[in-house]
């Protein structure tokens, strides 16, 4: 038994290391795609550039989500090579749309909320996400290594708003609301958590703020493993807590993980900025972007650069029973099959790749 536990712990540690390696390439893709748009998408007209990015992001992701069943059906019996090529093209478009959404909204917030403290927006975003039972979405954008399935690369999006209003919202409208509202609230959390760190984590010393971002990330990752161990050991006692107390612990835990995610991206963003500057601003962005995507595709993990839909927080009776590697390493690959009435070919799988 002890040998088995030791092997399991080594395997878990190895998975964490692999995930942390892959996240570098994911952040590299996001950084370069973001800055390519800054450089070439109407660089002298910031409002137009950000507006186009935001529109491409929301509309593009919505189109992919709505057409996912048709895409799966068309590719179900195709040749493996054709499936590989088409699916990777879709993954690339999907990832670019994700970056566009984040860039457009992030820059608009920078431009039009200067007088507003980032802490205010941070609290507002978190309150709304908690109210919608969707705080776990702050673990996006993609963070974690997610291997492409043979025919399951395309995500199924849960009807979050449909569930809130008793399934009276059509799937297509729900997809658009999830993308435009939930996705935007996640950006608000990330932008204002990032901005708060910029303002308070040694703003005049880039080296120290870089080091402290690393410290915060690894502290959160280690603490998450310890907390999961404690939660699982005391699950029988946790079940006896009042519902509101379990709900508060649940939301606080995922907010804690979200802060670790932001810290990770913050220090990796700085590293990739230095690398592209060393290569040269002209060729550096394109070459790093292409190399990152090719690397992820070559190891069948192109879905690591996309956020696989949105997830409705599960029951507070069960969340702490999840395998610790799913949460402690910021892996959130939850699958929950449930039929929705009125949708013949609708088999939602609540799946988030954070991952990133």
């Amino acid at each position: 038994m002890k040998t088995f536990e030791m092997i399991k712990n080594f395997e878990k540690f190895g998975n964490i290391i692999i995930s942390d390696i892959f996240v570098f390439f994911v952040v590299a893709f996001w950084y370069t795609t973001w800055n390519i748009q800054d450089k070439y998408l109407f660089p002298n007209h910031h409002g137009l550039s950000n507006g186009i990015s935001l529109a491409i992001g929301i509309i593009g992701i919505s189109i992919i989500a709505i057409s996912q069943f048709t895409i799966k059906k068309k590719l179900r019996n195709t040749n493996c090579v054709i499936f590989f090529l088409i699916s990777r093209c879709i993954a690339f478009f999907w990832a670019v749309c994700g970056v566009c959404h984040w860039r457009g909204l992030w820059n608009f917030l920078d431009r039009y909320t200067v007088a507003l403290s980032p802490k205010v927006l941070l609290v507002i975003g978190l309150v709304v996400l908690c109210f919608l039972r969707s705080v776990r979405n702050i673990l996006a954008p993609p963070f974690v290594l997610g291997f492409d399935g043979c025919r399951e690369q395309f995500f199924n999006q849960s009807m979050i708003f449909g569930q809130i209003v008793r399934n009276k919202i059509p799937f297509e409208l729900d997809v658009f609301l999830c993308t435009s509202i939930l996705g935007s609230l996640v950006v608000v959390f990330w932008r204002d958590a990032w901005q708060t760190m910029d303002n308070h984590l040694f703003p005049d010393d880039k080296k120290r703020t870089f080091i402290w971002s690393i410290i915060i990330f690894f502290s959160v990752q280690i603490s998450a493993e310890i907390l999961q161990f404690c939660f699982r050991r005391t699950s029988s006692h946790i079940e006896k807590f009042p519902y509101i107390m379990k709900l508060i612990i649940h939301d606080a835990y995922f907010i804690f993980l979200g802060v670790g995610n932001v810290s990770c991206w913050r220090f990796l963003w700085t590293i990739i900025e230095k690398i592209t500057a060393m290569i040269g601003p002209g060729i550096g962005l394109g070459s790093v972007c292409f190399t990152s995507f090719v690397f992820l595709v070559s190891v069948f993990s192109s879905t690591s650069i996309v956020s696989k839909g949105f997830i409705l927080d599960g029951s507070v009776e069960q969340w702490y029973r999840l395998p610790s590697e799913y949460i402690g390493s910021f892996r959130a690959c939850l699958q929950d099959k449930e039929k929705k009435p009125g949708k013949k070919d609708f088999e939602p799988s609540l799946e988030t790749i954070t991952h990133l």
Side-chain angles (χ1 to χ4, degrees):
M1 181 63 71
K2 289 184 178 180
T3 304
F4 175 76
E5 289 293 331
M6 187 178 296
I7 293 173
K8 189 175 180 180
N9 289 332
F10 273 118
E11 181 183 1
K12 185 176 180 179
F13 180 75
N15 287 336
I16 293 174
I17 297 298
I18 292 172
S19 295
D20 292 344
I21 292 173
F22 272 80
V23 72
F24 173 83
F25 291 96
V26 175
V27 179
F29 178 87
W30 273 63
Y31 173 87
T32 51
T33 305
W34 188 302
N35 282 273
I36 285 172
Q37 292 180 58
D38 284 344
K39 189 173 182 179
Y40 297 108
L41 186 63
F42 299 105
N44 299 320
H45 301 83
H46 299 294
L48 178 62
S49 177
N50 297 330
I52 291 175
S53 282
L54 186 58
I56 290 173
I58 293 176
I59 295 172
I61 293 173
S62 298
I63 290 173
I64 293 174
I66 292 170
S67 61
Q68 61 182 301
F69 308 109
T70 303
I71 294 172
K72 282 185 177 181
K73 195 174 295 184
K74 295 290 185 183
L75 296 180
R76 188 171 295 164
N77 298 316
T78 56
N79 181 275
C80 290
V81 176
I82 295 175
F83 173 81
F84 179 86
L85 294 174
I86 295 177
S87 65
R88 271 49 182 185
C89 288
I90 294 173
F92 181 80
F93 174 69
W94 183 358
V96 170
C97 287
V99 178
C100 286
H101 183 185
W102 280 63
R103 174 184 175 269
L105 182 57
W106 191 299
N107 288 343
F108 272 132
L109 291 171
D110 282 346
R111 191 177 181 86
Y112 297 110
T113 62
V114 177
L116 196 62
S117 170
K119 296 175 186 176
V120 175
L121 285 175
L122 183 62
V123 171
I124 293 173
L126 285 174
V127 168
V128 179
L129 283 170
C130 290
F131 175 76
L132 294 173
R133 299 299 300 121
S134 303
V135 72
R136 196 178 300 179
N137 289 294
I138 62 175
L139 297 183
F143 177 88
V144 191
L145 172 61
F147 287 111
D148 302 335
C150 181
R151 292 291 187 271
E152 295 298 326
Q153 178 172 351
F154 310 105
F155 73 101
N156 293 322
Q157 192 154 353
S158 60
M159 293 192 67
I160 293 178
F161 289 92
Q163 291 184 40
I164 292 173
V165 295
R166 300 180 183 178
N167 293 320
K168 291 184 179 180
I169 290 183
F171 173 70
E172 292 77 12
L173 177 58
D174 189 83
V175 165
F176 180 77
L177 290 175
C178 285
T179 304
S180 58
I181 296 178
L182 286 185
S184 297
L185 287 171
V186 172
V187 179
V188 169
F189 169 83
W190 272 70
R191 182 262 178 186
D192 291 290
W194 195 302
Q195 195 73 34
T196 300
M197 292 182 188
D198 282 346
N199 293 340
H200 300 287
L201 202 62
F202 304 104
D204 299 323
D205 191 333
K206 290 187 176 181
K207 184 177 180 180
R208 292 179 74 183
T209 191
F210 173 79
I211 293 172
W212 273 99
S213 292
I214 298 175
I215 293 172
I216 292 172
F217 164 63
F218 283 108
S219 298
V220 169
Q221 199 166 37
I222 293 169
S223 299
E225 296 291 345
I226 296 172
L227 286 171
Q228 265 299 309
F229 175 80
C230 295
F231 288 146
R232 290 167 65 83
R233 288 286 182 177
T234 60
S235 60
S236 59
H237 298 287
I238 294 176
E239 288 177 0
K240 298 176 184 178
F241 288 178
Y243 178 82
I244 188 65
M245 186 180 294
K246 288 186 285 190
L247 183 62
I248 291 171
I249 296 173
H250 169 278
D251 290 347
Y253 180 70
F254 286 108
I255 292 170
F256 178 65
L257 293 186
V259 171
N261 245 0
V262 174
S263 299
C264 176
W265 275 62
R266 199 166 174 268
F267 80 78
L268 286 177
W269 200 269
T270 303
I271 292 174
I272 295 159
E273 182 180 19
K274 297 291 185 184
I275 291 174
T276 53
M278 286 173 58
I279 298 174
I283 192 173
L285 292 174
S287 60
V288 173
C289 180
F290 178 77
T291 303
S292 301
F293 185 75
V294 169
F295 173 81
L296 292 168
V297 167
S298 65
V299 292
F300 297 96
S301 60
S302 60
T303 53
S304 292
I305 56 174
V306 298
S307 182
K308 303 194 79 173
F310 299 95
I311 186 171
L312 190 66
D313 291 348
S315 169
V316 293
E317 306 290 340
Q318 302 292 332
W319 67 273
Y320 52 84
R321 294 180 180 176
L322 292 172
S324 57
E325 61 264 30
Y326 283 165
I327 299 175
S329 305
F330 302 141
R331 278 189 271 284
C333 304
L334 292 160
Q335 290 191 349
D336 183 12
K337 301 280 185 181
E338 49 179 303
K339 293 283 184 179
K340 297 292 179 184
K343 290 291 177 182
K344 184 177 179 181
D345 193 28
F346 185 70
E347 298 180 354
S349 170
L350 301 184
E351 189 177 35
T352 302
I353 302 296
T354 52
H355 18 94
L356 235 236

